[in-house]
PDB file of all heavy atoms in Angstrom:
ATOM      1  N   GLY A   1       3.444 -10.167  31.068  1.00 73.00           N
ATOM      2  CA  GLY A   1       2.673  -9.170  31.785  1.00 73.00           C
ATOM      3  C   GLY A   1       1.277  -9.620  32.139  1.00 73.00           C
ATOM      4  O   GLY A   1       0.446  -8.799  32.538  1.00 73.00           O
ATOM      5  N   SER A   2       0.979 -10.919  32.013  1.00 68.00           N
ATOM      6  CA  SER A   2      -0.336 -11.436  32.366  1.00 68.00           C
ATOM      7  C   SER A   2      -0.384 -11.767  33.854  1.00 68.00           C
ATOM      8  O   SER A   2       0.641 -11.856  34.528  1.00 68.00           O
ATOM      9  CB  SER A   2      -0.663 -12.695  31.556  1.00 68.00           C
ATOM     10  OG  SER A   2      -0.653 -12.424  30.173  1.00 68.00           O
ATOM     11  N   ASP A   3      -1.590 -11.979  34.343  1.00 67.00           N
ATOM     12  CA  ASP A   3      -1.778 -12.382  35.728  1.00 67.00           C
ATOM     13  C   ASP A   3      -1.664 -13.897  35.797  1.00 67.00           C
ATOM     14  O   ASP A   3      -2.531 -14.609  35.270  1.00 67.00           O
ATOM     15  CB  ASP A   3      -3.146 -11.928  36.222  1.00 67.00           C
ATOM     16  CG  ASP A   3      -3.372 -12.283  37.689  1.00 67.00           C
ATOM     17  OD1 ASP A   3      -2.449 -12.837  38.313  1.00 67.00           O
ATOM     18  OD2 ASP A   3      -4.473 -12.019  38.203  1.00 67.00           O
ATOM     19  N   PRO A   4      -0.623 -14.438  36.443  1.00 65.00           N
ATOM     20  CA  PRO A   4      -0.474 -15.895  36.490  1.00 65.00           C
ATOM     21  C   PRO A   4      -1.643 -16.596  37.156  1.00 65.00           C
ATOM     22  O   PRO A   4      -1.884 -17.771  36.909  1.00 65.00           O
ATOM     23  CB  PRO A   4       0.818 -16.094  37.294  1.00 65.00           C
ATOM     24  CG  PRO A   4       1.565 -14.802  37.158  1.00 65.00           C
ATOM     25  CD  PRO A   4       0.498 -13.741  37.084  1.00 65.00           C
ATOM     26  N   ALA A   5      -2.393 -15.862  38.000  1.00 63.00           N
ATOM     27  CA  ALA A   5      -3.507 -16.486  38.708  1.00 63.00           C
ATOM     28  C   ALA A   5      -4.615 -16.926  37.762  1.00 63.00           C
ATOM     29  O   ALA A   5      -5.469 -17.736  38.139  1.00 63.00           O
ATOM     30  CB  ALA A   5      -4.065 -15.523  39.751  1.00 63.00           C
ATOM     31  N   THR A   6      -4.637 -16.400  36.536  1.00 61.00           N
ATOM     32  CA  THR A   6      -5.664 -16.801  35.581  1.00 61.00           C
ATOM     33  C   THR A   6      -5.451 -18.218  35.070  1.00 61.00           C
ATOM     34  O   THR A   6      -6.357 -18.813  34.483  1.00 61.00           O
ATOM     35  CB  THR A   6      -5.684 -15.840  34.383  1.00 61.00           C
ATOM     36  OG1 THR A   6      -4.412 -15.884  33.708  1.00 61.00           O
ATOM     37  CG2 THR A   6      -5.952 -14.415  34.845  1.00 61.00           C
ATOM     38  N   GLY A   7      -4.232 -18.740  35.257  1.00 58.00           N
ATOM     39  CA  GLY A   7      -3.956 -20.103  34.829  1.00 58.00           C
ATOM     40  C   GLY A   7      -3.577 -20.234  33.377  1.00 58.00           C
ATOM     41  O   GLY A   7      -3.430 -21.344  32.873  1.00 58.00           O
ATOM     42  N   THR A   8      -3.423 -19.128  32.662  1.00 63.00           N
ATOM     43  CA  THR A   8      -3.018 -19.173  31.259  1.00 63.00           C
ATOM     44  C   THR A   8      -1.831 -18.249  31.046  1.00 63.00           C
ATOM     45  O   THR A   8      -1.550 -17.372  31.860  1.00 63.00           O
ATOM     46  CB  THR A   8      -4.161 -18.748  30.323  1.00 63.00           C
ATOM     47  OG1 THR A   8      -4.417 -17.344  30.498  1.00 63.00           O
ATOM     48  CG2 THR A   8      -5.426 -19.540  30.613  1.00 63.00           C
ATOM     49  N   ALA A   9      -1.163 -18.447  29.920  1.00 62.00           N
ATOM     50  CA  ALA A   9      -0.013 -17.605  29.577  1.00 62.00           C
ATOM     51  C   ALA A   9      -0.354 -16.660  28.436  1.00 62.00           C
ATOM     52  O   ALA A   9       0.539 -16.179  27.741  1.00 62.00           O
ATOM     53  CB  ALA A   9       1.179 -18.477  29.203  1.00 62.00           C
ATOM     54  N   ASP A  10      -1.646 -16.396  28.219  1.00 75.00           N
ATOM     55  CA  ASP A  10      -2.047 -15.502  27.137  1.00 75.00           C
ATOM     56  C   ASP A  10      -1.590 -14.076  27.422  1.00 75.00           C
ATOM     57  O   ASP A  10      -1.423 -13.661  28.575  1.00 75.00           O
ATOM     58  CB  ASP A  10      -3.570 -15.519  26.976  1.00 75.00           C
ATOM     59  CG  ASP A  10      -4.078 -16.862  26.481  1.00 75.00           C
ATOM     60  OD1 ASP A  10      -3.288 -17.582  25.846  1.00 75.00           O
ATOM     61  OD2 ASP A  10      -5.255 -17.186  26.743  1.00 75.00           O
ATOM     62  N   TRP A  11      -1.409 -13.311  26.324  1.00 81.00           N
ATOM     63  CA  TRP A  11      -1.103 -11.893  26.474  1.00 81.00           C
ATOM     64  C   TRP A  11      -2.282 -11.198  27.161  1.00 81.00           C
ATOM     65  O   TRP A  11      -3.433 -11.555  26.934  1.00 81.00           O
ATOM     66  CB  TRP A  11      -0.870 -11.258  25.115  1.00 81.00           C
ATOM     67  CG  TRP A  11       0.398 -11.674  24.435  1.00 81.00           C
ATOM     68  CD1 TRP A  11       0.533 -12.560  23.417  1.00 81.00           C
ATOM     69  CD2 TRP A  11       1.713 -11.203  24.728  1.00 81.00           C
ATOM     70  NE1 TRP A  11       1.855 -12.692  23.053  1.00 81.00           N
ATOM     71  CE2 TRP A  11       2.607 -11.862  23.838  1.00 81.00           C
ATOM     72  CE3 TRP A  11       2.243 -10.294  25.646  1.00 81.00           C
ATOM     73  CZ2 TRP A  11       3.975 -11.644  23.847  1.00 81.00           C
ATOM     74  CZ3 TRP A  11       3.619 -10.070  25.647  1.00 81.00           C
ATOM     75  CH2 TRP A  11       4.466 -10.727  24.760  1.00 81.00           C
ATOM     76  N   PRO A  12      -2.010 -10.196  27.994  1.00 81.00           N
ATOM     77  CA  PRO A  12      -3.123  -9.499  28.664  1.00 81.00           C
ATOM     78  C   PRO A  12      -4.009  -8.721  27.696  1.00 81.00           C
ATOM     79  O   PRO A  12      -5.162  -8.450  27.996  1.00 81.00           O
ATOM     80  CB  PRO A  12      -2.411  -8.561  29.647  1.00 81.00           C
ATOM     81  CG  PRO A  12      -1.031  -8.394  29.098  1.00 81.00           C
ATOM     82  CD  PRO A  12      -0.697  -9.689  28.432  1.00 81.00           C
ATOM     83  N   CYS A  13      -3.484  -8.354  26.526  1.00 87.00           N
ATOM     84  CA  CYS A  13      -4.266  -7.618  25.533  1.00 87.00           C
ATOM     85  C   CYS A  13      -4.214  -8.379  24.206  1.00 87.00           C
ATOM     86  O   CYS A  13      -3.137  -8.570  23.639  1.00 87.00           O
ATOM     87  CB  CYS A  13      -3.716  -6.191  25.339  1.00 87.00           C
ATOM     88  SG  CYS A  13      -3.681  -5.208  26.858  1.00 87.00           S
ATOM     89  N   GLN A  14      -5.364  -8.819  23.715  1.00 86.00           N
ATOM     90  CA  GLN A  14      -5.446  -9.530  22.448  1.00 86.00           C
ATOM     91  C   GLN A  14      -6.509  -8.894  21.577  1.00 86.00           C
ATOM     92  O   GLN A  14      -7.611  -8.596  22.051  1.00 86.00           O
ATOM     93  CB  GLN A  14      -5.786 -11.010  22.663  1.00 86.00           C
ATOM     94  CG  GLN A  14      -4.685 -11.796  23.343  1.00 86.00           C
ATOM     95  CD  GLN A  14      -4.904 -13.292  23.223  1.00 86.00           C
ATOM     96  OE1 GLN A  14      -5.067 -13.826  22.131  1.00 86.00           O
ATOM     97  NE2 GLN A  14      -4.916 -13.973  24.361  1.00 86.00           N
ATOM     98  N   GLY A  15      -6.159  -8.671  20.325  1.00 91.00           N
ATOM     99  CA  GLY A  15      -7.085  -8.029  19.401  1.00 91.00           C
ATOM    100  C   GLY A  15      -7.137  -8.742  18.071  1.00 91.00           C
ATOM    101  O   GLY A  15      -6.265  -9.546  17.746  1.00 91.00           O
ATOM    102  N   GLU A  16      -8.167  -8.400  17.299  1.00 92.00           N
ATOM    103  CA  GLU A  16      -8.359  -9.012  15.984  1.00 92.00           C
ATOM    104  C   GLU A  16      -8.545  -7.909  14.951  1.00 92.00           C
ATOM    105  O   GLU A  16      -9.313  -6.963  15.159  1.00 92.00           O
ATOM    106  CB  GLU A  16      -9.591  -9.918  15.996  1.00 92.00           C
ATOM    107  CG  GLU A  16      -9.863 -10.603  14.668  1.00 92.00           C
ATOM    108  CD  GLU A  16     -11.065 -11.527  14.743  1.00 92.00           C
ATOM    109  OE1 GLU A  16     -11.465 -11.895  15.863  1.00 92.00           O
ATOM    110  OE2 GLU A  16     -11.613 -11.872  13.668  1.00 92.00           O
ATOM    111  N   VAL A  17      -7.810  -8.020  13.846  1.00 93.00           N
ATOM    112  CA  VAL A  17      -7.889  -7.019  12.784  1.00 93.00           C
ATOM    113  C   VAL A  17      -7.904  -7.731  11.435  1.00 93.00           C
ATOM    114  O   VAL A  17      -7.608  -8.928  11.343  1.00 93.00           O
ATOM    115  CB  VAL A  17      -6.683  -6.045  12.832  1.00 93.00           C
ATOM    116  CG1 VAL A  17      -6.645  -5.294  14.145  1.00 93.00           C
ATOM    117  CG2 VAL A  17      -5.381  -6.782  12.573  1.00 93.00           C
ATOM    118  N   ILE A  18      -8.248  -6.952  10.404  1.00 92.00           N
ATOM    119  CA  ILE A  18      -8.123  -7.409   9.026  1.00 92.00           C
ATOM    120  C   ILE A  18      -7.051  -6.550   8.367  1.00 92.00           C
ATOM    121  O   ILE A  18      -7.145  -5.321   8.358  1.00 92.00           O
ATOM    122  CB  ILE A  18      -9.451  -7.295   8.270  1.00 92.00           C
ATOM    123  CG1 ILE A  18     -10.475  -8.253   8.886  1.00 92.00           C
ATOM    124  CG2 ILE A  18      -9.252  -7.606   6.786  1.00 92.00           C
ATOM    125  CD1 ILE A  18     -11.858  -8.139   8.267  1.00 92.00           C
ATOM    126  N   LEU A  19      -6.013  -7.204   7.878  1.00 92.00           N
ATOM    127  CA  LEU A  19      -4.927  -6.520   7.203  1.00 92.00           C
ATOM    128  C   LEU A  19      -5.100  -6.640   5.699  1.00 92.00           C
ATOM    129  O   LEU A  19      -5.473  -7.700   5.191  1.00 92.00           O
ATOM    130  CB  LEU A  19      -3.580  -7.136   7.598  1.00 92.00           C
ATOM    131  CG  LEU A  19      -3.025  -6.837   8.998  1.00 92.00           C
ATOM    132  CD1 LEU A  19      -1.706  -7.560   9.181  1.00 92.00           C
ATOM    133  CD2 LEU A  19      -2.849  -5.358   9.224  1.00 92.00           C
ATOM    134  N   HIS A  20      -4.825  -5.577   4.991  1.00 93.00           N
ATOM    135  CA  HIS A  20      -4.885  -5.604   3.531  1.00 93.00           C
ATOM    136  C   HIS A  20      -3.543  -6.088   2.994  1.00 93.00           C
ATOM    137  O   HIS A  20      -2.813  -5.367   2.311  1.00 93.00           O
ATOM    138  CB  HIS A  20      -5.250  -4.220   2.998  1.00 93.00           C
ATOM    139  CG  HIS A  20      -6.673  -3.857   3.260  1.00 93.00           C
ATOM    140  ND1 HIS A  20      -7.467  -3.215   2.335  1.00 93.00           N
ATOM    141  CD2 HIS A  20      -7.477  -4.066   4.343  1.00 93.00           C
ATOM    142  CE1 HIS A  20      -8.673  -3.027   2.830  1.00 93.00           C
ATOM    143  NE2 HIS A  20      -8.699  -3.537   4.056  1.00 93.00           N
ATOM    144  N   LEU A  21      -3.220  -7.317   3.337  1.00 90.00           N
ATOM    145  CA  LEU A  21      -2.013  -7.989   2.889  1.00 90.00           C
ATOM    146  C   LEU A  21      -2.317  -9.485   2.754  1.00 90.00           C
ATOM    147  O   LEU A  21      -3.162 -10.010   3.494  1.00 90.00           O
ATOM    148  CB  LEU A  21      -0.865  -7.819   3.891  1.00 90.00           C
ATOM    149  CG  LEU A  21      -0.087  -6.502   3.917  1.00 90.00           C
ATOM    150  CD1 LEU A  21       0.910  -6.523   5.067  1.00 90.00           C
ATOM    151  CD2 LEU A  21       0.631  -6.268   2.596  1.00 90.00           C
ATOM    152  N   PRO A  22      -1.659 -10.180   1.853  1.00 89.00           N
ATOM    153  CA  PRO A  22      -1.819 -11.634   1.795  1.00 89.00           C
ATOM    154  C   PRO A  22      -1.293 -12.275   3.076  1.00 89.00           C
ATOM    155  O   PRO A  22      -0.332 -11.796   3.682  1.00 89.00           O
ATOM    156  CB  PRO A  22      -0.976 -12.051   0.585  1.00 89.00           C
ATOM    157  CG  PRO A  22      -0.785 -10.794  -0.208  1.00 89.00           C
ATOM    158  CD  PRO A  22      -0.779  -9.670   0.786  1.00 89.00           C
ATOM    159  N   ALA A  23      -1.902 -13.354   3.496  1.00 86.00           N
ATOM    160  CA  ALA A  23      -1.468 -14.047   4.711  1.00 86.00           C
ATOM    161  C   ALA A  23      -0.021 -14.501   4.605  1.00 86.00           C
ATOM    162  O   ALA A  23       0.722 -14.506   5.591  1.00 86.00           O
ATOM    163  CB  ALA A  23      -2.383 -15.238   4.976  1.00 86.00           C
ATOM    164  N   ALA A  24       0.408 -14.864   3.386  1.00 85.00           N
ATOM    165  CA  ALA A  24       1.784 -15.330   3.196  1.00 85.00           C
ATOM    166  C   ALA A  24       2.802 -14.236   3.476  1.00 85.00           C
ATOM    167  O   ALA A  24       3.948 -14.531   3.835  1.00 85.00           O
ATOM    168  CB  ALA A  24       1.959 -15.855   1.770  1.00 85.00           C
ATOM    169  N   ASP A  25       2.408 -12.960   3.331  1.00 86.00           N
ATOM    170  CA  ASP A  25       3.334 -11.848   3.605  1.00 86.00           C
ATOM    171  C   ASP A  25       3.379 -11.512   5.096  1.00 86.00           C
ATOM    172  O   ASP A  25       4.310 -10.837   5.549  1.00 86.00           O
ATOM    173  CB  ASP A  25       2.913 -10.602   2.820  1.00 86.00           C
ATOM    174  CG  ASP A  25       3.084 -10.773   1.317  1.00 86.00           C
ATOM    175  OD1 ASP A  25       3.731 -11.765   0.908  1.00 86.00           O
ATOM    176  OD2 ASP A  25       2.558  -9.940   0.563  1.00 86.00           O
ATOM    177  N   VAL A  26       2.383 -11.964   5.844  1.00 86.00           N
ATOM    178  CA  VAL A  26       2.294 -11.628   7.264  1.00 86.00           C
ATOM    179  C   VAL A  26       2.879 -12.733   8.138  1.00 86.00           C
ATOM    180  O   VAL A  26       3.568 -12.473   9.124  1.00 86.00           O
ATOM    181  CB  VAL A  26       0.827 -11.359   7.660  1.00 86.00           C
ATOM    182  CG1 VAL A  26       0.700 -11.101   9.165  1.00 86.00           C
ATOM    183  CG2 VAL A  26       0.276 -10.178   6.865  1.00 86.00           C
ATOM    184  N   ALA A  27       2.617 -13.993   7.777  1.00 84.00           N
ATOM    185  CA  ALA A  27       2.975 -15.134   8.620  1.00 84.00           C
ATOM    186  C   ALA A  27       4.445 -15.182   9.018  1.00 84.00           C
ATOM    187  O   ALA A  27       4.764 -15.502  10.169  1.00 84.00           O
ATOM    188  CB  ALA A  27       2.570 -16.433   7.926  1.00 84.00           C
ATOM    189  N   PRO A  28       5.409 -14.863   8.128  1.00 83.00           N
ATOM    190  CA  PRO A  28       6.822 -14.975   8.541  1.00 83.00           C
ATOM    191  C   PRO A  28       7.230 -14.054   9.684  1.00 83.00           C
ATOM    192  O   PRO A  28       8.268 -14.277  10.310  1.00 83.00           O
ATOM    193  CB  PRO A  28       7.588 -14.626   7.252  1.00 83.00           C
ATOM    194  CG  PRO A  28       6.633 -14.905   6.146  1.00 83.00           C
ATOM    195  CD  PRO A  28       5.292 -14.544   6.692  1.00 83.00           C
ATOM    196  N   TYR A  29       6.439 -13.027   9.954  1.00 83.00           N
ATOM    197  CA  TYR A  29       6.816 -12.047  10.965  1.00 83.00           C
ATOM    198  C   TYR A  29       6.042 -12.221  12.263  1.00 83.00           C
ATOM    199  O   TYR A  29       6.091 -11.363  13.140  1.00 83.00           O
ATOM    200  CB  TYR A  29       6.610 -10.637  10.418  1.00 83.00           C
ATOM    201  CG  TYR A  29       7.364 -10.396   9.141  1.00 83.00           C
ATOM    202  CD1 TYR A  29       6.733 -10.477   7.900  1.00 83.00           C
ATOM    203  CD2 TYR A  29       8.735 -10.146   9.161  1.00 83.00           C
ATOM    204  CE1 TYR A  29       7.430 -10.281   6.721  1.00 83.00           C
ATOM    205  CE2 TYR A  29       9.444  -9.959   7.982  1.00 83.00           C
ATOM    206  CZ  TYR A  29       8.783 -10.028   6.765  1.00 83.00           C
ATOM    207  OH  TYR A  29       9.480  -9.855   5.599  1.00 83.00           O
ATOM    208  N   LEU A  30       5.308 -13.323  12.401  1.00 81.00           N
ATOM    209  CA  LEU A  30       4.545 -13.595  13.613  1.00 81.00           C
ATOM    210  C   LEU A  30       5.270 -14.620  14.460  1.00 81.00           C
ATOM    211  O   LEU A  30       5.822 -15.592  13.957  1.00 81.00           O
ATOM    212  CB  LEU A  30       3.156 -14.129  13.267  1.00 81.00           C
ATOM    213  CG  LEU A  30       2.237 -13.195  12.479  1.00 81.00           C
ATOM    214  CD1 LEU A  30       0.901 -13.885  12.231  1.00 81.00           C
ATOM    215  CD2 LEU A  30       2.025 -11.882  13.218  1.00 81.00           C
ATOM    216  N   ARG A  31       5.236 -14.403  15.759  1.00 74.00           N
ATOM    217  CA  ARG A  31       5.835 -15.383  16.663  1.00 74.00           C
ATOM    218  C   ARG A  31       4.753 -16.284  17.254  1.00 74.00           C
ATOM    219  O   ARG A  31       4.919 -17.490  17.333  1.00 74.00           O
ATOM    220  CB  ARG A  31       6.583 -14.671  17.788  1.00 74.00           C
ATOM    221  CG  ARG A  31       7.711 -13.780  17.283  1.00 74.00           C
ATOM    222  CD  ARG A  31       8.543 -13.244  18.398  1.00 74.00           C
ATOM    223  NE  ARG A  31       9.267 -14.296  19.096  1.00 74.00           N
ATOM    224  CZ  ARG A  31      10.139 -14.072  20.072  1.00 74.00           C
ATOM    225  NH1 ARG A  31      10.392 -12.835  20.455  1.00 74.00           N
ATOM    226  NH2 ARG A  31      10.767 -15.065  20.653  1.00 74.00           N
ATOM    227  N   ASP A  32       3.646 -15.686  17.703  1.00 76.00           N
ATOM    228  CA  ASP A  32       2.596 -16.496  18.304  1.00 76.00           C
ATOM    229  C   ASP A  32       1.199 -16.004  17.934  1.00 76.00           C
ATOM    230  O   ASP A  32       0.233 -16.294  18.620  1.00 76.00           O
ATOM    231  CB  ASP A  32       2.738 -16.530  19.833  1.00 76.00           C
ATOM    232  CG  ASP A  32       2.817 -15.133  20.430  1.00 76.00           C
ATOM    233  OD1 ASP A  32       2.649 -14.154  19.679  1.00 76.00           O
ATOM    234  OD2 ASP A  32       3.047 -15.015  21.644  1.00 76.00           O
ATOM    235  N   GLY A  33       1.092 -15.240  16.855  1.00 81.00           N
ATOM    236  CA  GLY A  33      -0.220 -14.789  16.396  1.00 81.00           C
ATOM    237  C   GLY A  33      -0.876 -15.838  15.503  1.00 81.00           C
ATOM    238  O   GLY A  33      -0.292 -16.862  15.153  1.00 81.00           O
ATOM    239  N   ILE A  34      -2.123 -15.570  15.128  1.00 83.00           N
ATOM    240  CA  ILE A  34      -2.884 -16.447  14.242  1.00 83.00           C
ATOM    241  C   ILE A  34      -3.294 -15.642  13.021  1.00 83.00           C
ATOM    242  O   ILE A  34      -3.911 -14.571  13.154  1.00 83.00           O
ATOM    243  CB  ILE A  34      -4.137 -17.007  14.954  1.00 83.00           C
ATOM    244  CG1 ILE A  34      -3.726 -17.816  16.198  1.00 83.00           C
ATOM    245  CG2 ILE A  34      -4.943 -17.884  14.006  1.00 83.00           C
ATOM    246  CD1 ILE A  34      -4.907 -18.273  17.024  1.00 83.00           C
ATOM    247  N   VAL A  35      -2.958 -16.135  11.848  1.00 86.00           N
ATOM    248  CA  VAL A  35      -3.292 -15.435  10.613  1.00 86.00           C
ATOM    249  C   VAL A  35      -4.128 -16.363   9.742  1.00 86.00           C
ATOM    250  O   VAL A  35      -3.868 -17.564   9.660  1.00 86.00           O
ATOM    251  CB  VAL A  35      -2.009 -14.972   9.869  1.00 86.00           C
ATOM    252  CG1 VAL A  35      -1.139 -16.146   9.481  1.00 86.00           C
ATOM    253  CG2 VAL A  35      -2.379 -14.141   8.646  1.00 86.00           C
ATOM    254  N   GLU A  36      -5.157 -15.791   9.096  1.00 86.00           N
ATOM    255  CA  GLU A  36      -6.080 -16.567   8.264  1.00 86.00           C
ATOM    256  C   GLU A  36      -6.306 -15.832   6.943  1.00 86.00           C
ATOM    257  O   GLU A  36      -6.619 -14.632   6.927  1.00 86.00           O
ATOM    258  CB  GLU A  36      -7.414 -16.755   8.996  1.00 86.00           C
ATOM    259  CG  GLU A  36      -8.485 -17.439   8.175  1.00 86.00           C
ATOM    260  CD  GLU A  36      -9.831 -17.400   8.860  1.00 86.00           C
ATOM    261  OE1 GLU A  36      -9.929 -16.844   9.976  1.00 86.00           O
ATOM    262  OE2 GLU A  36     -10.800 -17.908   8.267  1.00 86.00           O
ATOM    263  N   GLU A  37      -6.151 -16.549   5.855  1.00 86.00           N
ATOM    264  CA  GLU A  37      -6.351 -15.960   4.527  1.00 86.00           C
ATOM    265  C   GLU A  37      -7.841 -15.692   4.316  1.00 86.00           C
ATOM    266  O   GLU A  37      -8.696 -16.549   4.537  1.00 86.00           O
ATOM    267  CB  GLU A  37      -5.839 -16.918   3.452  1.00 86.00           C
ATOM    268  CG  GLU A  37      -5.868 -16.331   2.052  1.00 86.00           C
ATOM    269  CD  GLU A  37      -4.781 -15.288   1.848  1.00 86.00           C
ATOM    270  OE1 GLU A  37      -3.609 -15.577   2.099  1.00 86.00           O
ATOM    271  OE2 GLU A  37      -5.139 -14.173   1.428  1.00 86.00           O
ATOM    272  N   LEU A  38      -8.180 -14.460   3.870  1.00 86.00           N
ATOM    273  CA  LEU A  38      -9.579 -14.092   3.596  1.00 86.00           C
ATOM    274  C   LEU A  38      -9.861 -13.949   2.108  1.00 86.00           C
ATOM    275  O   LEU A  38     -11.016 -13.941   1.708  1.00 86.00           O
ATOM    276  CB  LEU A  38      -9.936 -12.779   4.311  1.00 86.00           C
ATOM    277  CG  LEU A  38      -9.952 -12.814   5.835  1.00 86.00           C
ATOM    278  CD1 LEU A  38     -10.355 -11.450   6.374  1.00 86.00           C
ATOM    279  CD2 LEU A  38     -10.910 -13.887   6.347  1.00 86.00           C
TER     280      LEU A  38
END
C-alpha cells in the first residue's frame, strides 16, 4: 500500500512502541519489524 514513486518498499505507516515483554517473546512473531531488548 505504499507509493512506489517514493523509491522504497517501506510500509506507509510505521510506528515505534515499548512493549512490556521480553524481546525473545516478541521476535518469533515478527516478519519484518525491528525489536530491541531494553
Side-chain angles (χ1 to χ4, degrees):
S2 300
D3 182 2
T6 61
T8 69
D10 293 336
W11 290 103
C13 302
Q14 292 194 54
E16 180 178 342
V17 299
I18 295 176
L19 286 179
H20 288 221
L21 281 175
D25 292 348
V26 176
Y29 304 99
L30 298 180
R31 300 188 66 176
D32 53 6
I34 300 174
V35 61
E36 175 189 0
E37 186 73 53
L38 294 181

